[in-house]
Amino acid sequence: AEEILRESLESLDGERDPVRVVLCELSLATALENLDRLEDSLVMYESAKSSLVELAGEAHPQTLVTLNNMAMLYIRLGRADEAVETARRVLELGEEHQPESRVNTFPFRSNLGRALRAAGDFEGAEKELLEVERWLGEDEGATATEIARIRELLAELYVEWGKPDEAQAWGAK
């Protein structure tokens, strides 16, 4: 799969269609991440992000998704400070440019919580994750899967934080 995507990227680059190149870079970044080639994946995400910023701007939804993916990849790479910085930027841009839409920004906030947890800022992570859980509880369109995932993240946070009673309470919800 990696070889096919790289060949596609090389052939698209020759055509100079920047949108197609970005889409190929994003596909390759995802494939590399799935193959646990994390550093290579990051290189592809960084290239796609640079192109997206140039083509559509930093606050474009696809740029935000790409930055969000990069934040999660930084966690996997053990680069928690970069994960937090990137996740904060994504949330800031998402709220600034889509202020009426919590639905579009709650994944960014939950991923900021995950990044803060990875950085050892359990109080900050708790604040962000509880906010997402509250939002989802108020949102009639929230799915049971989304609510369960946030509660799972809270339970995991409390286990790592050494708060077994809170972990058990969230795990039982």
Side-chain angles (χ1 to χ4, degrees):
E2 178 184 350
E3 186 176 320
I4 293 168
L5 285 169
R6 281 201 189 275
E7 288 173 10
S8 296
L9 182 58
E10 288 170 10
S11 70
L12 287 174
D13 195 35
E15 294 178 22
R16 299 289 183 225
D17 179 351
V19 173
R20 293 174 84 186
V21 171
V22 167
L23 293 175
C24 192
E25 287 174 332
L26 291 171
S27 294
L28 182 55
T30 301
L32 290 167
E33 186 174 359
N34 290 337
L35 293 169
D36 288 326
R37 301 260 314 265
L38 304 183
E39 291 290 345
D40 293 331
S41 176
L42 185 59
V43 168
M44 286 292 103
Y45 276 126
E46 288 172 342
S47 179
K49 179 202 70 153
S50 295
S51 297
L52 283 165
V53 168
E54 187 177 310
L55 290 168
E58 191 177 29
H60 186 275
Q62 186 58 57
T63 308
L64 294 177
V65 168
T66 300
L67 285 166
N68 193 54
N69 291 342
M70 289 174 65
M72 296 301 92
L73 186 55
Y74 285 135
I75 291 172
R76 291 187 66 197
L77 287 164
R79 294 162 57 176
D81 290 342
E82 289 171 273
V84 170
E85 180 182 330
T86 303
R88 280 192 200 284
R89 184 69 182 142
V90 170
L91 180 59
E92 176 185 296
L93 287 166
E95 289 180 338
E96 181 180 324
H97 294 278
Q98 300 173 350
E100 71 290 342
S101 181
R102 291 189 309 198
V103 172
N104 291 334
T105 60
F106 89 79
F108 302 153
R109 185 173 296 280
S110 66
N111 285 342
L112 174 56
R114 292 174 64 194
L116 289 164
R117 175 181 157 207
D121 181 356
F122 299 134
E123 289 178 4
E126 178 186 47
K127 175 184 173 271
E128 299 301 336
L129 294 174
L130 286 173
E131 181 69 8
V132 172
E133 201 275 339
R134 185 181 66 77
W135 283 359
L136 290 174
E138 295 172 355
D139 183 357
E140 292 178 14
T143 67
T145 302
E146 291 169 331
I147 294 168
R149 181 62 186 135
I150 287 299
R151 291 176 177 171
E152 181 181 320
L153 288 173
L154 281 159
E156 291 169 1
L157 168 68
Y158 290 125
V159 166
E160 190 173 338
W161 197 353
K163 295 186 171 191
D165 293 340
E166 287 91 336
Q168 186 176 11
W170 282 102
K173 289 188 178 199

